[in-house]
Amino acid sequence: KDVTSVNRLERVRRDFITNVSHELRTPVTIARANAETLMNGAIKDEVYGPRFLKAIHRNMERMAQLIDDLLNLSRIESGREKIELEFVSVDRLLHQVQLLMEDHARNKQHRLTFHNTHPVVFCDEKALERILTNFIDNAIKYCPSGSLIQLNVSSRKNRVRFSVTDNGPGISAKHLARIFERFYRVDKGRSRDIGGTGLGLSIVKNLAAAMHGKVGADSIEGEGTTFWCEFPAGPRKSHQNIPETDLPFG
Ligand code: ADP
């Protein structure tokens, strides 16, 4: 039994290295081809020259994003990422998320709404903020413009649940089961075109685990998707460590 689990780990590691190599290779190949075209004379072309240059830049950005995500993932998985659990005001957290995401949502004519019923959650504020902005960012990216994106907070049995629900294209059950895996995308080409790395949700999953939380997704194709995460609740009454003046919604 031990041998098979060692073999399995070994295979997962090998697959990961293969995936990383492929993902890095694509932008390098495209950038190199564009650079060669420039060197072969296109640099003197007033119309096409700048286009090849822009393609190089776009692909280097893609690569930088991929490397950033890989480094983040490795920091979180190895426990090097500093995660400090404390009581956090949910109102303050939502206010922060709203500030970070509202312009982005508005640019695609999405409506972004917030509904909260619980005052305090036990988590690392920055890490939970990253999870929620990732869910919202995905909804913004994968829903047609003019969609509705709702962030709801509810509590039950000493847990606080954050859910981001959209009325976008949805994800079929087959894909949904694998969506939190590293590099897994429903549509590789589309994800790449909009700057995705396929690592966002695996970073989310690792962050949640580091905070003793859970994540998941439910979806109905053609109707929309809900991404959720759950963490231990803080006390029902506002915690004394949170100054009232810091609460944006009173
Ligand atoms: P990516 O960098 O590709 O966005 P993620 O790990 O964040 O990687 O997401 C994995 C895949 O899940 C995406 O490629 C996309 O196909 C799918 N996905 C994520 N969020 C949504 C959503 N709100 N609606 C539909 N599909 C989604």
Side-chain angles (χ1 to χ4, degrees), residues 138-149:
N138 274 346
I140 292 173
K141 282 196 300 196
Y142 295 106
C143 295
S145 70
S147 296
L148 175 63
I149 303 166

Side-chain angles (χ1 to χ4, degrees), residues 138-139 141-142 166 171 179 184-186 191 196-201 225 227:
N138 274 346
K141 282 196 300 196
Y142 295 106
D166 65 56
I171 303 168
I179 211 85
Y184 194 86
R185 294 120 149 176
V186 175
S191 158
T197 60
L199 291 174
L201 289 177
T225 310
F227 281 94

Side-chain angles (χ1 to χ4, degrees), residues 203-215:
I203 290 174
V204 158
K205 192 175 100 181
N206 279 283
L207 280 176
M211 295 191 277
H212 314 297
K214 285 201 285 191
V215 289

Side-chain angles (χ1 to χ4, degrees), residues 153-164:
V153 185
S154 58
S155 59
R156 56 175 180 195
K157 287 193 201 149
N158 298 323
R159 314 275 297 170
V160 184
R161 175 185 277 239
F162 296 81
S163 59
V164 174

